[in-house]
Protein backbone atom coordinates (compact mmCIF):
# COMPACT_ATOMS: atom_id res chain seq x y z
CA UNK A 1 0.00 0.00 0.00
CA UNK A 2 1.49 3.35 -1.00
CA UNK A 3 1.83 6.40 1.22
CA UNK A 4 -0.80 9.09 0.61
CA UNK A 5 0.97 12.44 0.45
CA UNK A 6 0.74 15.67 -1.52
CA UNK A 7 3.21 18.43 -2.40
CA UNK A 8 2.51 22.02 -3.42
CA UNK A 9 3.85 25.59 -3.29
CA UNK A 10 2.75 27.89 -0.50
CA UNK A 11 0.98 31.09 -1.55
CA UNK A 12 2.79 33.27 1.00
CA UNK A 13 6.44 32.47 0.21
CA UNK A 14 6.54 29.98 -2.70
CA UNK A 15 8.18 27.24 -0.60
CA UNK A 16 7.39 23.61 -1.53
CA UNK A 17 5.65 21.72 1.30
CA UNK A 18 4.45 18.15 1.75
CA UNK A 19 1.48 16.83 3.70
CA UNK A 20 -2.27 16.20 3.50
CA UNK A 21 -4.40 18.37 1.21
CA UNK A 22 -7.86 19.71 2.07
CA UNK A 23 -10.17 22.41 0.74
CA UNK A 24 -12.65 24.45 2.78
CA UNK A 25 -14.47 26.05 -0.15
CA UNK A 26 -14.41 26.03 -3.95
CA UNK A 27 -13.74 29.80 -3.78
CA UNK A 28 -10.53 29.40 -1.77
CA UNK A 29 -7.21 27.81 -2.66
CA UNK A 30 -6.63 24.42 -1.02
CA UNK A 31 -4.53 23.98 2.13
CA UNK A 32 -1.83 21.46 2.97
CA UNK A 33 -1.54 20.28 6.55
CA UNK A 34 2.01 19.27 7.48
CA UNK A 35 2.64 15.80 8.88
CA UNK A 36 3.58 16.85 12.40
CA UNK A 37 1.93 17.01 15.79
CA UNK A 38 1.28 20.73 15.57
CA UNK A 39 -1.26 20.50 12.70
CA UNK A 40 0.33 23.42 10.85
CA UNK A 41 -1.42 24.17 7.57
CA UNK A 42 -0.73 26.60 4.74
CA UNK A 43 -2.69 27.84 1.77
CA UNK A 44 -1.22 26.56 -1.51
CA UNK A 45 -1.55 27.20 -5.24
CA UNK A 46 -4.01 24.69 -6.73
CA UNK A 47 -2.05 24.37 -9.99
CA UNK A 48 1.03 23.10 -8.11
CA UNK A 49 -0.69 20.32 -6.10
CA UNK A 50 0.64 16.85 -6.95
CA UNK A 51 0.08 13.48 -5.31
CA UNK A 52 2.95 11.13 -4.44
CA UNK A 53 3.19 8.35 -7.03
CA UNK A 54 4.66 5.77 -4.67
CA UNK A 55 7.97 5.82 -6.57
CA UNK A 56 11.35 7.34 -5.74
CA UNK A 57 14.16 8.42 -8.05
CA UNK A 58 17.68 6.95 -7.88
CA UNK A 59 18.58 9.48 -5.18
CA UNK A 60 15.63 8.44 -3.00
CA UNK A 61 13.58 11.61 -3.67
CA UNK A 62 9.82 11.12 -3.92
CA UNK A 63 8.25 11.50 -7.38
CA UNK A 64 4.96 13.42 -7.51
CA UNK A 65 2.37 13.79 -10.27
CA UNK A 66 3.52 16.48 -12.69
CA UNK A 67 7.24 15.98 -12.01
CA UNK A 68 9.53 15.84 -15.02
CA UNK A 69 11.74 12.75 -14.84
CA UNK A 70 14.70 12.10 -17.11
CA UNK A 71 15.35 8.42 -17.91
Amino acid sequence: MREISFRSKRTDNGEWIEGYVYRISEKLNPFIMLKNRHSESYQVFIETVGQYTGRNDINGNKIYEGDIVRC
Side-chain angles (χ1 to χ4, degrees), residues 2-9 16-21 30 32 44-54 62-67:
R2 77 175 182 176
E3 174 186 356
I4 304 298
S5 181
F6 294 86
R7 179 186 70 185
S8 188
K9 278 189 171 185
W16 286 97
I17 58 172
E18 180 183 322
Y20 306 107
V21 70
I32 286 192
V44 295
F45 295 110
I46 192 167
E47 60 272 3
T48 63
V49 175
Q51 186 174 0
Y52 176 50
T53 62
K62 293 179 179 179
I63 299 174
Y64 289 85
E65 293 175 345
D67 284 353

Side-chain angles (χ1 to χ4, degrees), residues 11-67:
T11 57
D12 59 349
N13 65 7
E15 177 185 342
W16 286 97
I17 58 172
E18 180 183 322
Y20 306 107
V21 70
Y22 67 95
R23 196 167 191 179
I24 296 172
S25 164
E26 290 294 320
K27 297 177 184 176
L28 297 174
N29 283 342
F31 290 81
I32 286 192
M33 181 169 43
L34 302 181
K35 296 177 182 180
N36 62 25
R37 289 186 241 165
H38 307 296
S39 299
E40 296 174 66
S41 61
Y42 300 96
Q43 196 168 20
V44 295
F45 295 110
I46 192 167
E47 60 272 3
T48 63
V49 175
Q51 186 174 0
Y52 176 50
T53 62
R55 305 252 182 206
N56 296 344
D57 66 10
I58 60 173
N59 298 320
N61 299 319
K62 293 179 179 179
I63 299 174
Y64 289 85
E65 293 175 345
D67 284 353

